[in-house]
């Protein structure tokens, strides 16, 4: 009888241990740190999921963080070949006279695009930014039109720009969340250009100037992104850090003290890396479901995702995720490639973690008269049995 008792004790101990492990895994994560800023947000780069935030969608003055939008447009022009790194840009009097931070480019002098970019990114030079804006668009006002058009395309719903530099203006505003969207797009779309944000100093005209982002010195995982400050905006900072395979982005706006923007950003980054993990669930372009198409040259249509699908969740809870595919009914040709025809819904604790459109992976042209006629009859018959 001794062995059965020992076996029973062992099994009971094992069950209790498993229950304790599950209980620990299900423990809610701590609340995010309270930070002394007007607004903030913390997102995961791969998934875009918001991990923490306060007043993230409240419109605020961004100061020099504005230059991230200016840079995004300039990088796009370089990528498309409309602008060359070695192209010479003449510094206008207007650019030279622009107040605020500067790289000290002299009026009338020609400076290569790549040098002005370093002056804009590392030193946050307003003179460099205006000179580049004028070179690309002919005038800063026209460049601002491009900025607002680009903001709309990126889904920055609460942003409006009136200048390329971030100088104060009543109609110049954005939000912490919109800035995070922009930063994520910049890192994703221009990874080579993004490397510039980790450089710590810039020398021009024998004047050495240091990157104002102190986190580049304090945290080796931080590799960007941008500071901003005016009296009305307060101290602002966009930071990004990568540890192992996870990259996080945090935005803090409106700190009263310069030191607060760094401590707040560091606290948020540490919180995100400590309590969350990101997983890739599905690959872009891979057929995840098939849709029935009526009145088309093809009756079945594969559906997939435009981009890889990642989700960010509390650590240790990957096995508890649930995913479902929802495909629209009554799809009638013609269907365009990329047309949304359903969604992938990922949930945890019955809460939606991610809802991503399922897209047509190819086009389906309309069938001929006979095919459309037959499907019209079939659709009518199906409707009787629904």
């Amino acid at each position: 009888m001794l062995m059965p008792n020992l076996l029973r004790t062992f099994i009971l101990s094992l069950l209790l241990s498993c229950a304790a492990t599950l209980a620990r895994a299900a423990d809610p994560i701590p609340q995010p740190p309270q930070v002394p800023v007007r607004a903030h947000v913390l997102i995961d780069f791969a998934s875009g999921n918001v991990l923490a935030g306060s007043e993230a969608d409240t419109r605020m003055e961004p100061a020099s963080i504005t230059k991230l939008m200016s840079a995004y447009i300039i990088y796009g022009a370089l990528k498309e070949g409309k602008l060359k790194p070695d192209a010479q840009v003449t510094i206008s009097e207007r650019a030279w006279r622009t107040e605020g931070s500067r790289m000290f480019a002299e009026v009338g002098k020609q400076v290569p695009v790549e040098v002005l970019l370093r002056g804009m990114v590392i030193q946050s030079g307003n003179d460099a930014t205006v000179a580049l804006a004028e070179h690309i668009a002919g005038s800063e006002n026209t460049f601002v039109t491009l900025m607002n058009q680009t903001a709309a395309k990126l889904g920055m719903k609460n942003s409006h720009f009136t200048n390329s530099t971030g100088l104060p203006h009543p109609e110049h505003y954005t939000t912490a969340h919109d800035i995070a969207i922009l930063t994520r797009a910049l890192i994703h779309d221009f990874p080579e250009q993004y490397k510039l944000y980790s450089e710590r100093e810039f020398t021009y005209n024998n004047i050495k100037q240091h990157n104002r982002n102190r986190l580049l010195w304090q945290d080796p995982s931080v590799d960007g992104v941008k500071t901003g400050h005016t009296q009305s905006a307060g101290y602002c900072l966009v930071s990004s850090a990568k540890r192992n395979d996870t990259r996080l982005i945090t935005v803090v706006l409106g700190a009263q003290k310069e030191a607060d923007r760094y401590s707040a950003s560091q606290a948020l980054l540490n919180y995100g890396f400590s309590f969350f993990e990101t997983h890739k669930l599905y690959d872009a372009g891979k057929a995840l479901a098939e849709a029935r198409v009526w009145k088309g040259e093809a009756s079945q249509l594969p559906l997939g995702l435009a981009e890889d699908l990642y989700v960010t969740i509390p650590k240790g809870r990957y096995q508890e995720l649930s995913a479902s595919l929802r495909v629209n009914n009554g799809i009638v040709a013609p269907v365009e490639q990329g047309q949304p025809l359903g969604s992938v819904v990922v949930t945890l604790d019955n809460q939606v973690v991610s809802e991503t459109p399922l897209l047509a992976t190819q086009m389906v042209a309309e069938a001929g008269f006979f095919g459309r006629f037959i499907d019209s009859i079939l659709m009518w018959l199906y409707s009787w049995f629904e």
Side-chain angles (χ1 to χ4, degrees):
M1 295 297 293
L2 181 62
M3 286 303 295
N5 286 337
L6 287 173
L7 182 61
R8 190 180 301 111
T9 301
F10 171 75
I11 292 173
L12 180 59
S13 175
L14 183 63
L15 289 173
L16 289 173
S17 175
C18 290
T21 300
L22 290 172
R24 285 195 300 272
D27 283 344
I29 63 173
Q31 290 296 310
Q34 299 297 309
V35 291
V37 296
R38 295 178 201 162
H40 73 274
V41 72
L42 171 69
I43 72 166
D44 178 85
F45 167 73
S47 67
N49 291 150
V50 175
L51 312 183
S54 175
E55 301 294 335
D57 293 311
T58 300
R59 293 176 177 179
M60 295 190 180
E61 182 184 340
S64 282
I65 288 173
T66 299
K67 294 184 178 77
L68 291 178
M69 175 56 78
S70 298
Y72 187 90
I73 295 171
I74 296 164
Y75 297 154
L78 287 167
K79 187 175 183 178
E80 294 169 10
K82 297 177 181 178
L83 185 66
K84 301 297 182 183
D86 58 355
Q88 297 294 318
V89 177
T90 302
I91 307 300
S92 70
E93 185 170 348
R94 187 175 187 277
W96 177 69
R97 289 187 180 276
T98 303
E99 60 186 271
S101 57
R102 59 186 63 224
M103 63 173 276
F104 301 104
E106 299 171 0
V107 65
K109 188 170 183 178
Q110 288 195 320
V111 184
V113 166
E114 57 191 353
V115 175
L116 289 173
L117 268 174
R118 292 170 62 83
M120 180 182 73
V121 170
I122 303 169
Q123 173 50 26
S124 194
N126 289 349
D127 48 359
T129 307
V130 173
L132 285 166
E134 292 175 338
H135 184 76
I136 288 174
S139 71
E140 187 181 16
N141 287 340
T142 304
F143 187 83
V144 167
T145 300
L146 297 178
M147 294 172 70
N148 288 317
Q149 290 174 348
T150 303
K153 290 177 183 177
L154 292 176
M156 299 169 63
K157 298 179 180 179
N158 293 296
S159 297
H160 184 264
F161 302 101
T162 62
N163 60 70
S164 62
T165 59
L167 290 174
H169 188 282
E171 294 302 315
H172 190 96
Y173 56 79
T174 185
T175 68
H177 195 191
D178 277 4
I179 293 168
I181 291 172
L182 171 60
T183 305
R184 184 176 179 233
L186 188 149
I187 298 172
H188 177 272
D189 296 347
F190 309 108
E192 288 303 311
Q193 297 287 355
Y194 176 67
K195 294 176 182 178
L196 198 57
Y197 291 89
S198 64
E199 294 194 16
R200 299 183 180 185
E201 61 183 38
F202 170 66
T203 300
Y204 181 76
N205 269 349
N206 296 318
I207 303 172
K208 180 184 287 187
Q209 301 180 73
H210 295 281
N211 194 319
R212 293 181 174 87
N213 185 1
R214 290 186 194 169
L215 290 188
L216 294 174
W217 284 266
Q218 296 176 10
D219 184 339
S221 69
V222 172
D223 55 14
V225 183
K226 187 75 189 75
T227 61
H229 173 259
T230 64
Q231 186 173 359
S232 51
Y235 290 95
C236 310
L237 177 62
V238 184
S239 55
S240 183
K242 187 175 183 180
R243 301 180 189 175
N244 298 320
D245 294 326
T246 300
R247 176 179 290 282
L248 299 180
I249 297 168
T250 186
V251 180
V252 298
L253 301 177
Q256 292 185 353
K257 301 176 182 178
E258 184 178 10
D260 288 344
R261 66 180 174 188
Y262 301 115
S263 61
S265 298
Q266 188 73 76
L268 290 167
L269 289 172
N270 289 343
Y271 171 77
F273 285 119
S274 294
F275 297 107
F276 293 91
E277 60 189 17
T278 298
H279 296 272
K280 182 180 179 181
L281 301 186
Y282 301 106
D283 293 323
K286 184 178 180 180
L288 300 182
E290 281 203 340
R292 174 67 165 94
V293 180
W294 300 97
K295 303 182 182 182
E297 291 184 349
S299 61
Q300 297 294 322
L301 173 62
L303 304 182
L305 302 171
E307 296 182 353
D308 295 342
L309 176 57
Y310 293 84
V311 294
T312 305
I313 57 174
K315 282 188 174 180
R317 305 200 62 188
Y318 175 69
Q319 298 299 329
E320 300 172 57
L321 283 175
S322 176
S324 61
L325 304 178
R326 300 175 183 176
V327 179
N328 296 353
N329 294 319
I331 300 170
V332 179
V335 175
E336 298 295 328
Q337 185 175 5
Q339 184 175 331
L341 297 172
S343 60
V344 181
V345 181
V346 182
T347 60
L348 180 66
D349 293 337
N350 296 318
Q351 299 293 318
V352 175
V353 175
S354 172
E355 185 168 0
T356 309
L358 274 173
L359 309 177
T361 59
Q362 60 196 44
M363 67 168 291
V364 177
E366 193 175 48
F369 173 78
F370 184 72
R372 298 198 308 273
F373 176 73
I374 293 297
D375 272 3
S376 294
I377 296 174
L378 290 174
M379 290 179 73
W380 180 77
L381 291 173
Y382 271 102
S383 68
W384 278 91
F385 294 98
E386 289 181 346

Short mmCIF file of all heavy atoms in Angstrom, two decimals, residues 65 214 251 298:
data_model
loop_
_atom_site.label_atom_id
_atom_site.label_comp_id
_atom_site.label_asym_id
_atom_site.label_seq_id
_atom_site.Cartn_x
_atom_site.Cartn_y
_atom_site.Cartn_z
N ILE A 65 9.66 67.46 -32.74
CA ILE A 65 9.26 66.12 -33.16
C ILE A 65 8.60 66.18 -34.53
O ILE A 65 8.54 65.20 -35.27
CB ILE A 65 8.37 65.47 -32.08
CG1 ILE A 65 9.23 65.12 -30.86
CG2 ILE A 65 7.67 64.23 -32.60
CD1 ILE A 65 8.46 64.64 -29.67
N ARG A 214 19.49 61.94 -24.55
CA ARG A 214 20.40 61.37 -23.55
C ARG A 214 20.27 59.86 -23.42
O ARG A 214 21.20 59.18 -22.95
CB ARG A 214 20.12 62.01 -22.18
CG ARG A 214 20.53 63.47 -22.08
CD ARG A 214 20.32 63.91 -20.64
NE ARG A 214 20.36 65.36 -20.50
CZ ARG A 214 20.00 65.99 -19.39
NH1 ARG A 214 19.58 65.29 -18.34
NH2 ARG A 214 20.06 67.31 -19.33
N VAL A 251 6.35 57.58 -26.71
CA VAL A 251 6.24 59.01 -26.97
C VAL A 251 5.81 59.68 -25.68
O VAL A 251 4.81 59.28 -25.06
CB VAL A 251 5.20 59.31 -28.07
CG1 VAL A 251 5.11 60.82 -28.33
CG2 VAL A 251 5.53 58.56 -29.35
N ALA A 298 -14.03 32.74 -61.52
CA ALA A 298 -13.61 31.73 -60.54
C ALA A 298 -14.62 31.74 -59.40
O ALA A 298 -15.14 32.80 -59.03
CB ALA A 298 -12.22 32.02 -60.02
#
